[in-house]
Amino acid sequence: MLEQRAAALDSDLVRAQTVLGDIQREVAKAETDVQLVRDRAARNQARLDAGTGTAKDLQALQHELDSLHRRQGELEDVEIEIMERAEGAEADVTRLEAERTALTAELEKATAARDDALKDFEAEAAKVASPRADTVAGVGADLVALYEKIRTQTGGLAAAALRQRRCGGCQLELNNVEMSRIKAAPDDEVLRCEECRRILVRTSESGL
Ligand SMILES: [Zn+2]
């Protein structure tokens, strides 16, 4: 969401900068136009002031000088209009740049928050995974495979404690025959509940 806003703002900014660049070139051209007319008027004025040439020449010079002054006035009006547009474009660029700076700060904050959350999650996952990894190493691959298979079948709990003759998974009571068999089974035998097929874990409260 923030990234999309940043991308949209970036293209707005590029557009505004392009507009400003175009107007700045117009300003430069208008300034050149005005300067050319001013220079020419100054030259005519100098010749008029020197007073050399025929009366007709001087009259023509004066006539041209008048029209140069009018032309200069028109060009200066154009220049002012362009400069006003340049100011508007500059304001647009400044505003968009400020918005972009604020958004960059917001993005950095959001990224930092996301990284923090990810770090927390990774720490939590490592905490959960590490005792399990130790267990996996301790019990052997076959039992782990069995455990995973039952977990898939039952949709969760794969091993249950045997407590007071009951399976902690299905809560059903084991009969005497089963209890006797479990009692006689060696410690390293993997026991299963006859009802739900979960791995049964013997405890001191099993009732054996
Ligand atoms: Zn059971």
Side-chain angles (χ1 to χ4, degrees):
M1 204 58 211
L2 280 178
E3 272 97 349
Q4 281 168 339
R5 263 175 62 204
L9 204 48
D10 281 344
S11 45
D12 285 352
L13 189 54
V14 167
R15 237 189 329 264
Q17 283 164 338
T18 306
V19 168
L20 179 58
D22 290 347
I23 298 174
Q24 279 168 339
R25 270 189 296 280
E26 281 185 64
V27 170
K29 186 179 177 300
E31 278 169 356
T32 307
D33 290 348
V34 170
Q35 196 55 50
L36 283 172
V37 174
R38 272 192 200 129
D39 290 348
R40 177 126 186 220
R43 277 199 305 275
N44 282 12
Q45 190 63 58
R47 283 165 68 189
L48 269 177
D49 291 347
T52 49
T54 64
K56 206 182 163 194
D57 288 345
L58 293 177
Q59 201 183 359
L61 270 177
Q62 183 60 58
H63 185 74
E64 196 187 316
L65 192 58
D66 291 344
S67 68
L68 282 171
H69 281 148
R70 271 198 306 279
R71 181 74 187 130
Q72 187 180 330
E74 286 163 12
L75 287 173
E76 279 168 352
D77 286 348
V78 170
E79 190 184 0
I80 287 166
E81 182 267 325
I82 297 168
M83 283 171 90
E84 278 170 0
R85 275 197 289 132
E87 273 174 33
E90 272 169 31
D92 283 347
V93 169
T94 304
R95 177 178 53 79
L96 287 167
E97 277 172 349
E99 274 181 46
R100 187 64 180 90
T101 304
L103 192 58
T104 301
E106 215 178 316
L107 260 170
E108 277 168 6
K109 230 168 74 183
T111 304
R114 193 195 55 198
D115 289 350
D116 281 353
L118 195 62
K119 238 182 283 166
D120 288 350
F121 171 75
E122 278 169 355
E124 185 64 30
K127 217 164 68 188
V128 169
S130 94
R132 192 175 170 282
D134 294 346
T135 307
V136 168
V139 297
D142 288 352
L143 183 55
V144 171
L146 177 64
Y147 178 89
E148 293 295 346
K149 196 179 114 188
I150 300 170
R151 206 163 66 140
T152 307
Q153 285 166 352
T154 60
L157 193 64
L162 176 62
R163 245 185 220 112
Q164 266 89 54
R165 300 169 63 100
R166 283 181 193 279
C167 163
C170 63
Q171 304 301 329
L172 291 174
E173 193 171 345
L174 278 66
N175 62 37
N176 287 336
V177 177
E178 278 178 88
M179 285 301 287
S180 303
R181 189 179 63 77
I182 288 169
K183 206 169 177 174
D187 284 349
D188 61 350
E189 187 182 321
V190 177
L191 303 167
R192 310 277 300 272
C193 169
E194 291 293 323
E195 300 297 333
C196 68
R197 306 302 298 152
R198 285 188 176 91
I199 296 165
L200 273 179
V201 179
R202 283 164 282 188
T203 72
S204 58
E205 299 164 5
S206 289
L208 293 166

